[in-house]
Amino acid sequence: MAAPHLHKKGFFGGVLQTVSPFGIILLATAFSVLLQGFAFPTGNNVFHVPVVLEYFQSAEGPHDLFTGTLKYFVSGFWVLVRIFANEDNIYFVFFAFYIATKFSIFLVLWLIVTESGSNLHRTGAALVVSLLGFFPFMLGISPIGGNEIIVNYLTHSLVVIPFILLSWVFLFQGRYAVSALCLGVAFNINAFAAIWGAIGLGLAVVLAMRTDDLAGLFKCIARMSAAFLVPALPTVIWIIDNITDAKGVADFDFRDYLHEYTPHHSYIYNTTSELILLVLMGVFFYFHLAPILDTARESFSRGMKSLFSIYMAVVVVGVALPYVTQSRLLLNLYPLRMDAYLIYLLVIASAFWVVRSFRAGNDKEQEASVLSFVSLLNGNVLLLALSVSNLGDKHLKKLAVFSMIVIAGSVHVINGESPVLRTLFRMDLFHVYLIQVGAIAYFCLRRGMSIGEAYLGLVAVFVALLPAPDSELDLLMLVFIYAGLAMGVYRYFRVVPVVLFALVLAYIFMNQRIEWLVLVSAVVLSLYAMSATSLLGGPLSRVMNRIPLAGLLGAFLVFGFGFSGYAYAKRGGLAPNPEYRANSVSVQAWAREHTPPDTVFLPIGVEGFSTLSRRPVWIDWKIGAMVMWSPETYDHWSGRVKKLTAIRSIRDAVALATKEGVTRIVYARTWLDEAKEPVTCVLYRNPDFVIGATTCDAR
């Protein structure tokens, strides 16, 4: 049966012809913000807010070592924000820049997908790209290097992403100097991301140009270098000035610091499973998406494959780097964090395939493209692999799918981590699985198939819910589940669907996840009822055939809008936890209003207390970032953090504060609940924080 085209007459086709891509992306951005929320101040804002408000030049500055080091914190973006922000409007300025950044990411992704071919439907591309704003896999940090993909707060590592992506647009257009210009601007925002982007661009251009025209190649590289350096010059001068002004570098191994502070940015010992799964996604890219990219414009196909290979090589270098050098310069480039851009390249290729399949008269290709796309809701490697299991009978492709299942299953059995890059066990994220199941059901019912014929995809969806094996029986059942999936790739080895479904449900039951058992059982039984009952199967099949692929994706987008509204209402505001944020702002405001600027606080279970209080903390873990730009502070930070983390009771906290001459202690309520001790000499309290004095005489 020929698949309905995107522009087919009817309700969905008419809507898509009248709605502008810009409007779809803008609307999706707004709802994505509602879904994800906006946090301020949080995370690295502990550096950003003091830089924007110039704390180091304020009355509090001379009393705080951390604030004093921020003059060496290099990012031109925060200098720009400083023009607009003051203490009264800083939340709204950060929020405005955040919305603009998020919108820009989706807009440039749309530009990239439409750049892939002139015959692609631009509104359809906007619809597909907008869905990414509701993918939990995209909303957070990258799985290996912990780099920002799309986080819920403003940081320069997020702001630089549209500029890196825009440089790819011009690379695909063959406008290499303009691409380098974008990276030069990006260098002023986030230097290390721009440096790796420039290396990727340079190598991609070398691969694209004729090697027999060396003169032309050198001229092109020279123009690109000039285009990069001109906008980057202010930050280059800033860095050189900081180096000449810096104090002597302390004698320590920078890798020791990385182990203590940000091992997730530099080491893979906690993310080996994620690395394996990302490599499997790379296998999928080369075996299945690369040939599809060959149907796009040549410059787009070549550029995508070059960039993916280069960024994959950068990540591989990042795996080995901390084991072969202690160079602070090289380690501060954080090559592992480039896994975020690998993910962007993967979703771009997948989105291109979906948009391309709009015009394909092939149900199987549409199904494969959509299932590979929705697998990225949570980075489900199994569903990604199985999405192409019925697409052709090439032995090499089948073997690649079979191998991906075996390796992913081994990770689950041995390491106990399900084969997804974004584990979603929370009940309020069950919509992810409903969308994936809905996509499978849509294509089954359109072809009049039994849901049992799509059992591989359904089992792959629900395997993401299976926790680590807790007994030998668990282990045996998990092995049987993966064996059934692997054998199912080759049709003559297929297992009875009911057996696999029963194993999955039994595994969930044995691990006492009754709520998941009820939901998964209800979904499976409903699907069987829809496909097996003649009363429902026939009419449903006809209904599905009247809904074009754009209608399915549009329904998913509307579902995302609805879920975003639900998430916002459940939180009660934009902040991830509005009540906690209000209490955090309140305790810091009290400290600022009731203590002089040189008052030092000992934070117990609290991070970022100095951000709004403008009062120095004796130490906290987060401000250890200052070692990156002021390495002479390492001994100060490391020694104090070890003392801070050794505190187990209020008595320990008071003893340390007294010894160090600190008169104020701020406690997190969660820490106090674990300590189970009352705070004496209380100066201030709210539901989440308590401020106490070391002695009641000091109040």
Side-chain angles (χ1 to χ4, degrees), residues 580 587 602-607 609 650 665-677 679 684 686-692:
Y580 180 86
V587 70
L602 179 68
I604 306 298
V606 179
E607 287 181 5
F609 182 75
I650 292 176
I665 306 174
V666 55
Y667 302 92
R669 177 70 68 178
T670 51
W671 187 91
L672 290 174
D673 291 342
E674 292 180 6
K676 297 180 180 178
E677 293 180 71
V679 178
Y684 172 86
N686 67 36
D688 289 301
F689 301 94
V690 174
I691 293 178

Side-chain angles (χ1 to χ4, degrees), residues 12 40 60 115 154 210 231 241 335 371 382 421 446 450 453 464 562 571 581 608 624 641:
F12 291 105
F40 174 86
E60 302 89 347
E115 185 59 34
L154 186 69
R210 289 168 37 207
D241 184 56
L371 292 186
L382 286 180
L421 285 169
R446 257 177 63 164
S450 164
E453 296 179 66
R571 287 194 312 266
R581 181 186 183 276
V641 162

